Amino acid sequence: MGFMTLPASAACTLPEVARARLGRLAAQGAGPEAMLAAAFAHLGRTAAAYVLTATGRTVAATEGVRALSAEEAVAALMDGSGTTVPVDAEAANTPYERLHLYLPDPDAAPPRMLHEVAAILGRSQEARTRRRAAARRAVDELGTLLARSGAEATDAAAALRTCGLPVVDGPYQVVTAEMADRREGLAEGALAEAVAHVAGPGPAAVGRLPDGTAFAVVPGDLPAGFGAVWPLVAGCEPSVPLHGGSGSPAAGLERLAGALAEARYALASARSIAPNASLLTDATAFTSLDTLLTGVPADVRTAYSRTVLGSLIDTGNTSAAPLLHTLRTFLACELLGPHRGGPAPARQHRPLPHPAHRALHRTRPVPPRRPPRPVGGPAVPVVTGTAGG
């Protein structure tokens, strides 16, 4: 599809030379950085202009301007300082994809020029969105592969190449996300925006698993600031909780499926801990029995407790409390061990009361699930509504 320029009779103040230059760049599929530079080149270095997302991510900026933090950008969009012109793009179906042309100095450029530049940026964004939609099908196929047990490393390598990701020994980071609102692309858009905050223009693949869960594969480790951008992204839809989960880094292709499983378990934990608020949970933070069990659905935990523990959970049984304490101590040692905050080895080998052994015998048919290797920080709680766009 060719690029359609606005007629000169539209009373826009964008010079004809700049308009023609923008038309050529758009036809070539140029990014917003090149488009913005061409649009303001005739004003010299006097005009500071930014293209921002609603979450405060800087998509493009004119040369030499001061970098804005995400928090500063969100505040600028909300408080009305300077001039903000929405970039209208029909393909921007979610609030995370909507862009804004922002100038700190309201007198830096004529308003009609800004509206024309925003319209051209919108057409360019629509073309990029269509290309991403086509590429996302390949990412969905990668998700189907990783969600299937027994995925071979060679198959994973081929799928990564198709998605445009580098095939290296690792690490890779896998993140999942889900929203109660099942609008098409909403969770994927939120996750893509969160990843873009920390990954920048680097390669990253965002798609959807067979069950509809959004997921992302990012080469390398996620920066520590990933949790800090979660409330900014969640603030775009403050009435809809945004839940997320991240697994421990996959050291190689053969561990990608395991990293996805960890991220999905962490996502289940986030939903369990904060069903009505946005929350990002790191699977490497499961360093206690209580945190580990948050990933198990509540109805499953209840059914398991009643089946395995029996009368031990009967509140009318006076001997139940000390036996449950003994059982909890044993499980803390068995599941977590001293290197995960459990009791010392000497206490682990201390004989347990005979009634407790009977209770423990009933739990042995179910092997304990070991948590992922703790290499990251704690779960990051997020309260929705802290920021918006």
Side-chain angles (χ1 to χ4, degrees), residues 108-211:
R112 288 177 178 174
M113 171 193 156
L114 298 182
H115 282 279
E116 184 178 2
V117 171
I120 297 174
L121 288 172
R123 293 188 179 92
S124 177
Q125 184 190 9
E126 289 174 8
R128 291 194 306 274
T129 301
R130 286 191 293 269
R131 290 194 295 270
R132 283 197 298 266
R136 187 160 289 179
R137 288 192 287 269
V139 184
D140 292 349
E141 293 175 2
L142 171 64
T144 300
L145 174 67
L146 297 180
R148 188 175 67 236
S149 59
E152 297 291 337
T154 53
D155 295 334
L160 288 174
R161 290 192 186 96
T162 303
C163 297
L165 295 180
V167 178
V168 295
D169 292 335
Y172 294 93
Q173 187 76 51
V174 182
V175 187
T176 55
E178 187 177 80
M179 302 181 76
D181 189 328
R182 290 289 184 168
R183 271 180 288 166
E184 181 71 23
L186 193 63
E188 295 99 296
L191 183 56
E193 179 66 7
V195 169
H197 266 278
V198 295
V206 179
R208 185 167 52 184
L209 297 174
D211 65 356

Side-chain angles (χ1 to χ4, degrees), residues 21-40:
R21 169 70 172 158
L22 287 171
R24 290 193 297 270
L25 288 173
Q28 296 166 4
E33 194 80 36
M35 301 283 288
L36 194 66
F40 288 89

Side-chain angles (χ1 to χ4, degrees), residues 188-247:
E188 295 99 296
L191 183 56
E193 179 66 7
V195 169
H197 266 278
V198 295
V206 179
R208 185 167 52 184
L209 297 174
D211 65 356
T213 301
F215 82 103
V217 177
V218 184
D221 293 319
L222 279 179
F226 184 67
V229 306
W230 205 256
L232 297 174
V233 176
C236 282
E237 285 283 350
S239 62
V240 184
L242 173 62
H243 296 119
S246 61

Side-chain angles (χ1 to χ4, degrees), residues 218-304:
V218 184
D221 293 319
L222 279 179
F226 184 67
V229 306
W230 205 256
L232 297 174
V233 176
C236 282
E237 285 283 350
S239 62
V240 184
L242 173 62
H243 296 119
S246 61
S248 57
L253 297 179
E254 68 282 357
R255 298 192 179 183
L256 267 176
L260 174 61
E262 290 181 14
R264 296 176 81 175
Y265 192 85
L267 174 61
S269 172
R271 289 196 305 263
S272 174
I273 294 174
N276 299 315
S278 295
L279 180 66
L280 172 67
T281 300
D282 183 359
T284 61
F286 297 147
T287 55
S288 70
L289 179 60
D290 289 339
T291 56
L292 179 63
L293 289 178
T294 58
V296 180
D299 55 345
V300 175
R301 293 199 302 269
T302 300
Y304 178 82

